[in-house]
Amino acid sequence: MTTETQHPDIPAQTDDTTKWWGQSMTIWGVLLTTVTTVLPTVGPLIGLDISSELQRLGARLTTASDLDTTVVSLSALVANLEPSLAVLADVVVNPSFPATDFGRLQKQQLAAIDQEAARPNTMAFRVLPRLLYGKGHAYANPLTGSGYKSTVGTLTRDAAARWHATWFRPGSATLLVVGDTTPAEILPRLEKAFAGWAPGTAPAKNLAPVE
């Protein structure tokens, strides 16, 4: 089961939150991965560690991000589907972006950028997109996905929360289900699990023309 949200393609000269998103996406996936092991701020699992709960349920939750999408995937047993869906929904709708983990991952990202600058192949991946698309284009950012130190270093936990609130919208998400179930069985369970997800769509993509 996979929940996929589409990202904006935003030129670098927008406000701080969207600017950072346009310049770096890997850390978002890392942060979302972190929330699979740290309890979200609200939800049905208050008081429990998510990683322990997933292990108890025999479920697996994974996340990934790229320039265009973020994917949150759940693999679960039919017998434990409803509580597993509750974990998935809580991670998608209510991530807490813990401050301690945020700071640690930010430092790791900055170190990764330094490493890329010291290697010819990754340095090429950082420079090539700007030559192809031009400065300011959403796809002019490093192909490594690590962003720039000037933006990664100034990103805050609150900015990450605002990004999530802006772009993680059900009207811009796609939910894919594969397995031993039917629409009649799974739809009521999904509607129950995601009932607290406020309706809305993400802003339209913004791609500057390449000249």
Side-chain angles (χ1 to χ4, degrees):
M1 184 174 302
T2 299
T3 302
E4 177 181 288
T5 61
Q6 296 196 359
H7 297 157
D9 298 313
I10 296 176
Q13 56 266 40
T14 52
D15 64 63
D16 290 342
T17 304
T18 52
K19 174 182 177 182
W20 195 91
W21 170 248
Q23 293 182 346
S24 179
M25 63 280 184
T26 301
I27 197 170
W28 296 114
V30 175
L31 285 168
L32 285 168
T33 302
T34 298
V35 301
T36 68
T37 59
V38 181
L39 187 70
T41 53
V42 295
L45 302 177
I46 289 177
L48 298 178
D49 179 81
I50 283 182
S51 58
S52 299
E53 180 69 357
L54 289 170
Q55 186 175 16
R56 183 185 70 81
L57 295 170
R60 184 168 62 94
L61 193 65
T62 60
T63 64
S65 278
D66 60 25
L67 275 173
D68 298 301
T69 61
T70 290
V71 178
V72 184
S73 297
L74 170 71
S75 176
L77 302 172
V78 173
N80 297 329
L81 185 56
E82 287 203 19
S84 300
L85 284 174
V87 176
L88 171 67
D90 213 24
V91 168
V92 170
V93 180
N94 303 306
S96 60
F97 297 109
T100 301
D101 292 303
F102 187 94
R104 174 176 55 82
L105 293 169
Q106 191 174 37
K107 291 177 181 178
Q108 290 178 359
Q109 191 78 354
L110 291 170
I113 294 173
D114 285 335
Q115 291 177 348
E116 290 174 4
R119 298 170 181 166
N121 58 336
T122 51
M123 189 62 190
F125 289 149
R126 295 184 63 82
V127 174
L128 181 61
R130 182 171 293 189
L131 298 177
L132 293 175
Y133 292 98
K135 184 178 180 180
H137 194 279
Y139 290 147
N141 301 300
L143 287 175
T144 58
S146 56
Y148 299 99
K149 294 185 72 173
S150 59
T151 45
V152 173
T154 57
L155 183 69
T156 65
R157 182 264 171 210
D158 290 341
R162 290 196 302 270
W163 172 85
H164 173 270
T166 301
W167 301 110
F168 261 62
R169 311 297 293 170
S172 301
T174 302
L175 184 61
L176 307 175
V177 180
V178 178
D180 184 18
T181 189
T182 65
E185 292 175 340
I186 194 65
L187 284 175
R189 293 179 174 181
L190 292 173
E191 290 171 353
K192 177 182 178 181
F194 288 93
W197 201 0
T201 57
K205 287 191 174 185
N206 181 7
L207 275 177
V210 178
E211 298 178 356

